[in-house]
Amino acid sequence: MSSEPILSIKNIEVLYSRVISALHGVSIDVHKGEIVSLLGANGSGKTTTCKAVSRLLEAERGEVSKGSIEYKGKDISNLTAFDMVKAGVVQVLEGRHIFGHLTVEENLLTGSFIRNADTASVKKDLEYVYDRFERIRTRRKNLGGLCSGGEQQMVAMGRAMMARPNLILLDEPSMGLAPQLVEEIFEIVKTLNEEDGVSFLVSEQNANVALKYASVGYIIENGRVVLKGDAKELSDSESVKEMYMGGGGDEVSFRDVKFYHRRKPCMV
Amino acid sequence: MDYAFFIEVLVGGLLSGIMYSLVAIGFVLIYKSSGVFNFAQGTMLLLAALTFVSLTERMVNFWVAFAITLMIMVVLGIIIERTVMRPLANQSLLSLFMATVGLNYFLEGLAQGVWDSAVHGVNLGISNDPIFLIDKFPEMGLDIIVSYFDMAAAGIAGLMILGLSLFFTFTRTGLSLRAVSDDHLAAMAVGIPLSRIWAIVWAVTGVICLIAGLLWGDRVSVSFTLTSAVLKGLPVILIGGLTSIPGAIVGGLIIGASEKLGEIYVAEWIGGQGIEHWWAYTTALLFLMVRPTGIFGEKEIERV
């Protein structure tokens, strides 16, 4: 933890189409080997934060207008999405975005192209991904679009793993999945993190599960980081429980609600 | 009814249909990869044919001229990606479409400016003799004659189509292209460089234009009417589906065959000679009423 973070987002602001402000002051650090979760409601800026790092923002006419993002100590503002993947940062998009008309295996293969690797090593990686994601092994010849939501999420993550990344930006992996599957997905995240040394920035609405697997959590509201802390502490905190985990204390008076409604960005 | 004659017409139609297929594949490739209909394709085809003809008229060897033109078309494709497509990436599709309209006029001016606007002939050295496809049973009236040129042209176009299909099915570039056509954002997220794929697609389209331009140039002539001939690719992709290469092939065959058959058997009932100018479009229109996405139009995959 004392080491330099591999990803350091420093107080960034993001504009879409040069006018619409989506983030105003987000700072996040991800250290090597960490799982960091980024929590927030719909439209709070989780996806925008991920895309700012993966440089996919440009594809949607967004730009980082202030602040900086450093990956392994180097500023990434001049890099393209291609460069980021090459450097080992891969985003797994919200809503999975797998290639519907490609088979599961072809989907996985597209992830390996960035490495320009020979067939043997790609084969090895495929085997490795199938080992990690047992469920999709039997579906390898199926069209991606016809897989179930959970399988698609696994294909999307497996596809990212084919690039042999150092850092995966996992955007809302639990979206539309049954609770059991969500646990399964996060168990895999844990394995990838512990055994393969991949760091994760996981954006989630499901604070419960996200904080369970993460070491550090950030809470983002209206484009600002409002709370940062040790995942354990956050999940025990009354205010987080109240806001993101459904319930917490027994009764909530309006006076207390006011307390939860933070406006000021907290210092992180 | 004279069956031998009917088959002869049908075969002639199918052979010319393969040429339509080739042009249609050019449209499909660009549409699949960037979602835009390339209005400039006709002019690219003309530019290729005109460059080749002008070079050979200046006593450049046939194969040298072919190689030079091929190179020019590939470079042109890359330049188009750099200067037209890339700056407009992520803009609305209508902007991209209008850019290809502009490109069309630019290339038309360029072709005229560099070379000239006269009508040229091109001779590929393929004879136009009739050959007997089946002449074993003359007593039964089963002698079918087709033009040697049609056979050769269809053969070349067919080989080209086969090569492209293999390329896009079995190579990394082909898989990347299909990934890009499925989902731009996801393709970018796994690090497929969109610009490189586009450059490849435009270059390949340039090569298709060269081959098709020469074959059609030999059959008619190299002049500005070539650009409108390319519009025959339009009903082909409407029938086959804008996103499907097999569709473009089948669509081309249907249009080619129906055009010839229509002219022989239907023309006398509905306005005589010259129905080939609108027959293809009418066929496409009828098809659209039944199958709006074309025969092989990409099915929307939807999980329930």
Side-chain angles (χ1 to χ4, degrees):
Chain A
M1 275 285 215
S2 54
S3 63
E4 281 289 299
I6 62 167
L7 177 72
S8 175
I9 303 174
K10 292 177 179 163
N11 206 20
I12 56 166
E13 298 191 0
V14 168
L15 291 180
Y16 281 110
S17 303
R18 305 224 171 122
V19 283
I20 304 159
S21 165
L23 298 183
H24 6 264
V26 168
S27 300
I28 292 170
D29 282 341
V30 180
H31 290 82
K32 191 162 170 34
E34 238 180 4
I35 299 178
V36 172
S37 57
L38 179 60
L39 307 171
N42 276 337
S44 57
K46 301 188 298 293
T47 299
T48 302
T49 308
C50 289
K51 283 187 176 160
V53 177
S54 63
R55 308 300 294 164
L56 289 175
L57 213 51
E58 281 171 14
E60 295 174 350
R61 285 188 257 173
E63 54 171 339
V64 177
S65 55
K66 270 185 197 159
S68 69
I69 303 174
E70 283 176 9
Y71 173 66
K72 288 186 171 167
K74 291 200 188 77
D75 189 89
I76 63 160
S77 52
N78 289 323
L79 302 185
T80 62
F82 174 81
D83 298 330
M84 290 311 290
V85 180
K86 193 98 191 161
V89 181
V90 185
Q91 178 168 2
V92 177
L93 293 162
E94 177 183 11
R96 309 184 271 270
H97 277 273
I98 64 161
F99 304 119
H101 295 95
L102 268 55
T103 65
V104 165
E105 188 144 309
E106 284 174 329
N107 262 283
L108 296 179
L109 284 176
T110 58
S112 71
F113 291 164
I114 194 88
R115 298 200 304 116
N116 273 328
D118 57 287
T119 322
S121 106
V122 171
K123 266 228 168 74
K124 220 180 85 204
D125 284 6
L126 266 181
E127 256 331 287
Y128 154 81
V129 167
Y130 287 134
D131 282 344
R132 288 282 183 256
F133 303 89
E134 260 318 314
R135 239 173 227 271
I136 58 176
R137 186 190 289 276
T138 52
R139 307 281 269 153
R140 60 208 291 174
K141 296 286 171 224
N142 286 46
L143 278 190
L146 297 174
C147 289
S148 74
E151 287 161 349
Q152 288 192 353
Q153 184 62 44
M154 292 181 189
V155 172
M157 287 166 65
R159 191 174 64 186
M161 284 306 291
M162 291 295 286
R164 297 196 181 168
N166 301 317
L167 171 66
I168 289 184
L169 311 162
L170 190 52
D171 198 0
E172 293 224 21
S174 75
M175 198 171 95
L177 297 185
Q180 239 177 344
L181 264 173
V182 174
E183 287 281 343
E184 195 178 328
I185 296 279
F186 271 90
E187 279 299 327
I188 297 174
V189 168
K190 192 176 155 194
T191 316
L192 296 178
N193 174 253
E194 286 173 357
E195 293 182 20
D196 306 312
V198 183
S199 313
F200 279 88
L201 177 61
V202 187
S203 109
E204 257 304 337
Q205 299 206 34
N206 186 340
N208 234 333
V209 66
L211 288 175
K212 184 171 145 198
Y213 288 92
S215 51
V216 181
Y218 289 78
I219 292 177
I220 183 169
E221 260 177 35
N222 295 323
R224 285 191 179 87
V225 171
V226 291
L227 209 57
K228 173 209 171 179
D230 184 76
K232 188 88 186 56
E233 278 168 31
L234 279 183
S235 55
D236 289 341
S237 131
E238 283 302 313
S239 66
V240 173
K241 268 188 192 162
E242 184 59 38
M243 294 285 289
Y244 297 100
M245 295 179 174
D250 302 325
E251 271 181 40
V252 182
S253 75
F254 278 107
R255 202 172 46 130
D256 296 331
V257 169
K258 217 170 185 181
F259 160 74
Y260 303 127
H261 194 80
R262 295 161 300 263
R263 284 205 176 276
K264 265 186 282 177
C266 89
M267 297 299 118
V268 282
Chain B
M1 192 166 144
D2 185 351
Y3 286 106
F5 181 62
F6 175 81
I7 294 173
E8 209 170 286
V9 173
L10 182 66
V11 170
L14 290 176
L15 291 178
S16 63
I18 295 178
M19 304 263 298
Y20 293 151
S21 304
L22 187 59
V23 174
I25 284 176
F27 284 115
V28 169
L29 283 183
I30 291 186
Y31 185 84
K32 260 176 98 85
S33 62
S34 49
V36 66
F37 180 80
N38 177 21
F39 198 79
Q41 179 137 344
T43 321
M44 281 171 73
L45 191 138
L46 173 75
L47 183 70
L50 198 60
T51 307
F52 176 82
V53 169
S54 306
L55 285 174
T56 48
E57 278 173 2
R58 283 165 181 73
M59 292 307 160
V60 180
N61 173 284
F62 179 93
W63 289 108
V64 175
F66 185 79
I68 293 176
T69 317
L70 192 74
M71 248 151 58
I72 291 178
M73 292 315 287
V74 168
V75 170
L76 181 75
I78 294 168
I79 292 176
I80 290 174
E81 191 278 320
R82 266 288 155 86
T83 57
V84 184
M85 302 299 286
R86 196 178 297 183
L88 287 176
N90 310 319
Q91 303 296 324
S92 85
L93 285 179
L94 198 59
S95 313
L96 275 171
F97 173 70
M98 287 314 290
T100 68
V101 173
L103 185 68
N104 178 56
Y105 287 110
F106 174 76
L107 291 180
E108 201 172 301
L110 185 76
Q112 261 176 326
V114 174
W115 307 114
D116 53 50
S117 51
V119 177
H120 298 264
V122 51
N123 188 5
L124 299 177
I126 305 172
S127 83
N128 206 6
D129 296 338
I131 54 170
F132 289 94
L133 200 60
I134 306 170
D135 56 356
K136 298 282 178 279
F137 313 101
E139 67 279 7
M140 293 168 67
L142 263 180
D143 49 341
I144 293 166
I145 307 168
V146 291
S147 138
Y148 181 77
F149 180 83
D150 278 357
M151 288 284 280
I156 294 171
L159 275 180
M160 180 97 193
I161 291 170
L162 186 69
L164 285 172
S165 308
L166 293 177
F167 176 67
F168 285 114
T169 316
F170 294 111
T171 64
R172 281 183 189 187
T173 309
L175 191 51
S176 304
L177 172 101
R178 285 187 290 140
V180 167
S181 79
D182 240 19
D183 192 327
H184 277 195
L185 193 64
M188 285 175 75
V190 294
I192 293 174
L194 281 194
S195 48
R196 195 183 303 165
I197 298 295
W198 282 347
I200 290 171
V201 164
W202 279 87
V204 168
T205 304
V207 174
I208 291 177
C209 284
L210 171 63
I211 305 284
L214 291 185
L215 292 176
W216 270 2
D218 191 319
R219 181 184 284 170
V220 281
S221 64
V222 177
S223 70
F224 279 89
T225 47
L226 260 190
T227 57
S228 59
V230 171
L231 288 181
K232 279 279 167 61
L234 214 62
V236 172
I237 49 179
L238 287 180
I239 286 181
L242 257 173
T243 49
S244 163
I245 289 181
I249 298 170
V250 175
L253 294 177
I254 291 176
I255 289 291
S258 80
E259 204 173 63
K260 287 284 190 304
L261 291 174
E263 188 158 329
I264 300 293
Y265 293 104
V266 191
E268 51 185 310
W269 310 102
I270 45 168
Q273 293 295 307
I275 69 164
E276 61 174 338
H277 293 298
W278 53 266
W279 182 255
Y281 300 96
T282 313
T283 314
L285 191 68
L286 292 175
F287 245 95
L288 284 185
M289 287 177 173
V290 187
R291 293 221 38 159
T293 52
I295 307 176
F296 292 88
E298 213 141 73
K299 289 188 193 78
E300 290 290 318
I301 292 185
E302 213 170 324
R303 291 191 310 117
V304 193

